[in-house]
Amino acid sequence: MERPFRILGLQQIAVGSTDKAALRKLWVDCLGLAVEGQYRSERENVDEDIAVAGSGLLRVEVDLMQPVDAQRKPAVHDPPLNHVGLWVDDLAAAVAWLTAKGVRFAPGGIRKGAAGHDITFIHPRGNDQFPIGGEGVLIELVQAPPEIVAGAKG
């Protein structure tokens, strides 16, 4: 069966530390990324600054994350490279096709992410029922907005 979706590019990376101020020193103060927002969720145990590099089709988020409580799970600071986000042109089709191929998704299903896009996560590890995972890397699939889909065609 032909793949019914395309990965269009990198949407974000998320890095974690017990102190996001230390992350800001590098990513914002030294590298010059702009902080465009904040996101905090007790349920997700995350307090993050949403920094941005580039613009238009080249815009990439770098989420600078610290746990709300370093003793709770999920531990957004461990590993320090928390996850990689990929733009996808048809998230629902991707989830259905990948699930049929044996890809394991993290609990939570498709939902709104911090930036307002529909998202879901490929689990870092496979299991007996769904043997394909991220081999240690959490991968976020992000529904691309129409302008990203249109810009990626061609």
Side-chain angles (χ1 to χ4, degrees), residues 52-126:
V52 177
S55 63
L57 294 177
L58 298 178
R59 183 181 186 277
V60 176
E61 286 181 16
V62 178
D63 294 344
L64 309 176
M65 306 187 322
Q66 72 181 32
V68 173
D69 179 346
Q71 305 307 310
R72 285 189 29 230
K73 299 285 183 191
V76 299
H77 61 292
D78 185 26
L81 176 56
N82 183 272
H83 67 271
V84 175
L86 302 173
W87 288 122
V88 62
D89 64 349
D90 187 335
L91 183 59
V95 169
W97 192 83
L98 292 168
T99 299
K101 290 286 189 185
V103 173
R104 181 181 181 197
F105 284 87
I110 296 175
R111 59 196 179 277
K112 287 285 181 215
H117 305 292
D118 284 347
I119 63 159
T120 195
F121 289 91
I122 295 175
H123 198 283
R125 307 246 184 275

